[in-house]
Amino acid sequence: MPPDSASAAQEPDIPTADAAPPGLLDLFLAFARMSLAGFGGVLVFARRAIVEQHRWMTADEFNETFALCHFLPGPNIVNLSMVFGSRLRGIAGGVAAFAGLLLPPTLIMTVLAIVYARFGDLDLLRRSLAGISCAAVGLLIAVVFRMMTPLLKRMDPLALTLMLGVFLAIGVLRLPLPAVLLVAIPVSIGATYFLRRKVAA
Protein backbone atom coordinates (compact mmCIF):
# COMPACT_ATOMS: atom_id res chain seq x y z
CA MET A 1 0.00 0.00 0.00
CA PRO A 2 1.48 3.41 -0.93
CA PRO A 3 2.35 5.74 1.97
CA ASP A 4 -0.37 8.21 1.00
CA SER A 5 -3.00 5.47 1.07
CA ALA A 6 -1.85 4.23 4.47
CA SER A 7 -1.96 7.76 5.87
CA ALA A 8 -5.47 8.32 4.54
CA ALA A 9 -6.60 5.02 6.04
CA GLN A 10 -5.28 6.03 9.45
CA GLU A 11 -6.85 9.51 9.34
CA PRO A 12 -10.43 9.09 8.06
CA ASP A 13 -11.39 12.58 9.26
CA ILE A 14 -9.16 14.31 6.69
CA PRO A 15 -11.04 15.18 3.47
CA THR A 16 -9.57 13.88 0.25
CA ALA A 17 -7.49 16.62 -1.34
CA ASP A 18 -8.56 17.94 -4.74
CA ALA A 19 -11.74 15.84 -4.62
CA ALA A 20 -14.55 17.28 -6.70
CA PRO A 21 -17.64 18.25 -4.70
CA PRO A 22 -20.52 15.78 -5.02
CA GLY A 23 -23.18 16.37 -7.65
CA LEU A 24 -26.86 16.99 -6.90
CA LEU A 25 -27.77 13.33 -7.43
CA ASP A 26 -24.88 12.24 -5.20
CA LEU A 27 -26.12 14.57 -2.44
CA PHE A 28 -29.69 13.30 -2.79
CA LEU A 29 -28.66 9.64 -2.70
CA ALA A 30 -26.18 10.13 0.17
CA PHE A 31 -28.78 11.78 2.39
CA ALA A 32 -31.43 9.29 1.32
CA ARG A 33 -29.14 6.46 2.48
CA MET A 34 -28.52 8.30 5.75
CA SER A 35 -32.23 8.70 6.40
CA LEU A 36 -33.01 5.07 5.53
CA ALA A 37 -30.19 3.81 7.76
CA GLY A 38 -30.92 6.30 10.53
CA PHE A 39 -32.77 4.13 13.01
CA GLY A 40 -32.58 5.96 16.33
CA GLY A 41 -31.62 9.21 14.67
CA VAL A 42 -29.89 10.24 11.46
CA LEU A 43 -27.07 12.18 13.15
CA VAL A 44 -25.01 9.03 13.78
CA PHE A 45 -25.13 7.99 10.14
CA ALA A 46 -24.80 11.54 8.80
CA ARG A 47 -21.51 12.03 10.62
CA ARG A 48 -20.22 8.64 9.54
CA ALA A 49 -21.08 9.27 5.88
CA ILE A 50 -19.93 12.91 5.68
CA VAL A 51 -16.74 12.65 7.76
CA GLU A 52 -15.57 9.04 7.53
CA GLN A 53 -17.00 7.55 4.36
CA HIS A 54 -17.06 10.38 1.79
CA ARG A 55 -14.62 12.71 3.63
CA TRP A 56 -16.58 15.78 2.56
CA MET A 57 -15.79 17.44 5.93
CA THR A 58 -13.28 17.08 8.73
CA ALA A 59 -14.50 16.20 12.21
CA ASP A 60 -13.99 19.82 13.30
CA GLU A 61 -15.91 21.19 10.30
CA PHE A 62 -18.79 18.82 11.00
CA ASN A 63 -18.92 19.88 14.67
CA GLU A 64 -18.86 23.57 13.72
CA THR A 65 -21.60 23.14 11.11
CA PHE A 66 -23.75 21.10 13.47
CA ALA A 67 -23.23 23.70 16.21
CA LEU A 68 -24.51 26.38 13.82
CA CYS A 69 -27.57 24.23 13.05
CA HIS A 70 -28.38 24.08 16.77
CA PHE A 71 -28.96 27.83 16.77
CA LEU A 72 -31.32 27.78 13.78
CA PRO A 73 -35.04 27.05 14.11
CA GLY A 74 -36.18 23.58 13.14
CA PRO A 75 -34.78 20.04 13.50
CA ASN A 76 -30.97 20.03 13.68
CA ILE A 77 -30.39 17.28 11.14
CA VAL A 78 -32.72 18.97 8.62
CA ASN A 79 -30.82 22.23 9.11
CA LEU A 80 -27.57 20.31 8.62
CA SER A 81 -28.72 18.89 5.29
CA MET A 82 -29.62 22.37 4.00
CA VAL A 83 -26.43 24.03 5.25
CA PHE A 84 -24.20 21.20 4.05
CA GLY A 85 -25.82 20.91 0.61
CA SER A 86 -25.77 24.68 0.11
CA ARG A 87 -22.12 24.85 1.11
CA LEU A 88 -21.15 22.36 -1.61
CA ARG A 89 -23.63 23.05 -4.42
CA GLY A 90 -25.48 26.25 -3.57
CA ILE A 91 -29.25 26.43 -3.12
CA ALA A 92 -29.82 23.48 -5.47
CA GLY A 93 -27.47 21.37 -3.35
CA GLY A 94 -29.35 22.32 -0.20
CA VAL A 95 -32.66 21.32 -1.79
CA ALA A 96 -31.18 18.02 -3.05
CA ALA A 97 -29.82 17.09 0.38
CA PHE A 98 -33.06 18.19 2.06
CA ALA A 99 -35.18 16.11 -0.34
CA GLY A 100 -32.95 13.07 0.07
CA LEU A 101 -33.16 13.33 3.85
CA LEU A 102 -36.94 13.71 4.12
CA LEU A 103 -38.57 12.02 1.12
CA PRO A 104 -37.79 8.32 1.82
CA PRO A 105 -38.67 8.37 5.56
CA THR A 106 -41.79 10.45 4.89
CA LEU A 107 -43.11 7.78 2.54
CA ILE A 108 -42.17 4.98 4.96
CA MET A 109 -43.64 6.73 8.00
CA THR A 110 -46.89 7.38 6.17
CA VAL A 111 -47.28 3.64 5.59
CA LEU A 112 -46.21 2.80 9.16
CA ALA A 113 -48.65 5.33 10.60
CA ILE A 114 -51.46 3.58 8.79
CA VAL A 115 -50.27 0.20 10.12
CA TYR A 116 -49.86 1.56 13.68
CA ALA A 117 -53.34 3.08 13.65
CA ARG A 118 -54.68 -0.38 12.88
CA PHE A 119 -52.45 -2.60 15.06
CA GLY A 120 -50.98 -0.19 17.67
CA ASP A 121 -52.72 -1.86 20.61
CA LEU A 122 -50.83 -5.14 20.18
CA ASP A 123 -48.55 -5.90 23.15
CA LEU A 124 -45.83 -7.35 20.90
CA LEU A 125 -45.61 -4.09 18.97
CA ARG A 126 -45.33 -2.03 22.17
CA ARG A 127 -42.48 -4.20 23.48
CA SER A 128 -40.68 -3.93 20.16
CA LEU A 129 -40.89 -0.13 20.26
CA ALA A 130 -39.51 -0.11 23.81
CA GLY A 131 -36.48 -2.11 22.66
CA ILE A 132 -35.95 0.20 19.70
CA SER A 133 -35.97 3.25 22.01
CA CYS A 134 -33.11 1.71 24.07
CA ALA A 135 -31.05 1.20 20.93
CA ALA A 136 -31.76 4.80 19.89
CA VAL A 137 -30.37 6.13 23.19
CA GLY A 138 -27.23 4.02 22.74
CA LEU A 139 -26.67 5.37 19.23
CA LEU A 140 -27.06 8.95 20.44
CA ILE A 141 -24.55 8.47 23.26
CA ALA A 142 -22.08 6.92 20.79
CA VAL A 143 -22.20 9.86 18.38
CA VAL A 144 -21.88 12.38 21.23
CA PHE A 145 -18.60 10.76 22.25
CA ARG A 146 -17.40 10.72 18.63
CA MET A 147 -18.15 14.44 18.28
CA MET A 148 -16.31 15.16 21.53
CA THR A 149 -13.12 13.48 20.26
CA PRO A 150 -11.65 16.55 18.45
CA LEU A 151 -12.11 18.68 21.58
CA LEU A 152 -10.52 16.05 23.79
CA LYS A 153 -7.58 15.64 21.39
CA ARG A 154 -6.83 19.37 21.47
CA MET A 155 -7.45 19.55 25.23
CA ASP A 156 -8.80 23.07 24.74
CA PRO A 157 -9.65 24.17 28.32
CA LEU A 158 -12.02 26.92 27.12
CA ALA A 159 -14.06 24.60 24.90
CA LEU A 160 -14.18 21.87 27.55
CA THR A 161 -15.22 24.36 30.26
CA LEU A 162 -18.01 25.80 28.12
CA MET A 163 -19.22 22.33 27.17
CA LEU A 164 -19.29 21.23 30.81
CA GLY A 165 -21.01 24.46 31.87
CA VAL A 166 -23.80 24.09 29.31
CA PHE A 167 -24.24 20.42 30.23
CA LEU A 168 -24.57 21.25 33.93
CA ALA A 169 -26.93 24.16 33.28
CA ILE A 170 -29.31 22.18 31.05
CA GLY A 171 -28.80 18.56 32.09
CA VAL A 172 -28.38 18.95 35.86
CA LEU A 173 -29.87 22.28 36.91
CA ARG A 174 -32.66 22.01 34.29
CA LEU A 175 -32.39 25.68 33.31
CA PRO A 176 -34.39 26.76 30.25
CA LEU A 177 -32.49 26.17 26.99
CA PRO A 178 -33.11 29.67 25.51
CA ALA A 179 -31.78 31.34 28.67
CA VAL A 180 -28.66 29.14 28.69
CA LEU A 181 -27.99 29.87 25.02
CA LEU A 182 -28.42 33.62 25.54
CA VAL A 183 -25.57 33.46 28.05
CA ALA A 184 -23.41 30.74 26.50
CA ILE A 185 -23.27 32.12 22.95
CA PRO A 186 -21.90 35.61 23.71
CA VAL A 187 -19.59 34.22 26.42
CA SER A 188 -18.09 31.62 24.05
CA ILE A 189 -17.72 34.10 21.18
CA GLY A 190 -16.17 36.75 23.42
CA ALA A 191 -13.78 34.36 25.14
CA THR A 192 -12.62 32.88 21.84
CA TYR A 193 -12.12 36.35 20.34
CA PHE A 194 -10.02 37.64 23.23
CA LEU A 195 -7.95 34.45 23.43
CA ARG A 196 -7.15 34.57 19.72
CA ARG A 197 -6.20 38.23 19.97
CA LYS A 198 -3.93 37.40 22.88
CA VAL A 199 -2.25 34.59 20.92
CA ALA A 200 -1.85 36.81 17.82
CA ALA A 201 -0.25 39.56 19.94
Side-chain angles (χ1 to χ4, degrees):
M1 181 181 291
D4 291 344
S5 299
S7 175
Q10 292 172 357
E11 301 180 30
D13 288 348
I14 300 177
T16 304
D18 303 325
L24 298 180
L25 181 59
D26 294 328
L27 282 171
F28 176 87
L29 293 176
F31 276 86
R33 284 193 291 269
M34 293 176 206
S35 66
L36 291 174
F39 296 96
V42 180
L43 177 60
V44 181
F45 301 93
R47 187 190 183 281
R48 181 179 301 165
I50 292 172
V51 175
E52 300 173 13
Q53 181 181 353
H54 298 292
R55 300 181 190 176
W56 290 333
M57 278 183 170
T58 65
D60 283 333
E61 289 171 340
F62 183 88
N63 286 355
E64 291 165 3
T65 304
F66 191 67
L68 170 64
C69 295
H70 265 282
F71 302 126
L72 298 174
N76 297 326
I77 191 63
V78 175
N79 294 341
L80 178 69
S81 70
M82 290 293 296
V83 172
F84 176 77
S86 299
R87 175 176 174 175
L88 295 184
R89 286 292 182 180
I91 295 176
V95 172
F98 174 82
L101 181 71
L102 292 186
L103 183 59
T106 298
L107 296 176
I108 293 172
M109 287 307 300
T110 301
V111 174
L112 290 179
I114 295 171
V115 173
Y116 185 78
R118 186 177 181 87
F119 302 106
D121 292 334
L122 295 179
D123 188 56
L124 177 62
L125 180 59
R126 289 183 176 179
R127 291 184 180 182
S128 300
L129 292 176
I132 291 172
S133 66
C134 294
V137 172
L139 286 169
L140 180 59
I141 293 172
V143 79
V144 166
F145 278 105
R146 293 298 298 275
M147 291 179 69
M148 285 173 56
T149 302
L151 295 177
L152 297 175
K153 283 181 179 178
R154 288 198 303 267
M155 291 305 292
D156 184 342
L158 173 62
L160 294 175
T161 301
L162 289 170
M163 180 178 66
L164 180 61
V166 171
F167 171 77
L168 292 174
I170 297 175
V172 178
L173 301 177
R174 303 297 178 92
L175 297 177
L177 176 60
V180 174
L181 293 181
L182 284 174
V183 175
I185 294 172
V187 167
S188 60
I189 293 174
T192 302
Y193 173 76
F194 284 113
L195 281 177
R196 289 189 177 181
R197 279 193 62 182
K198 186 177 180 181
V199 171

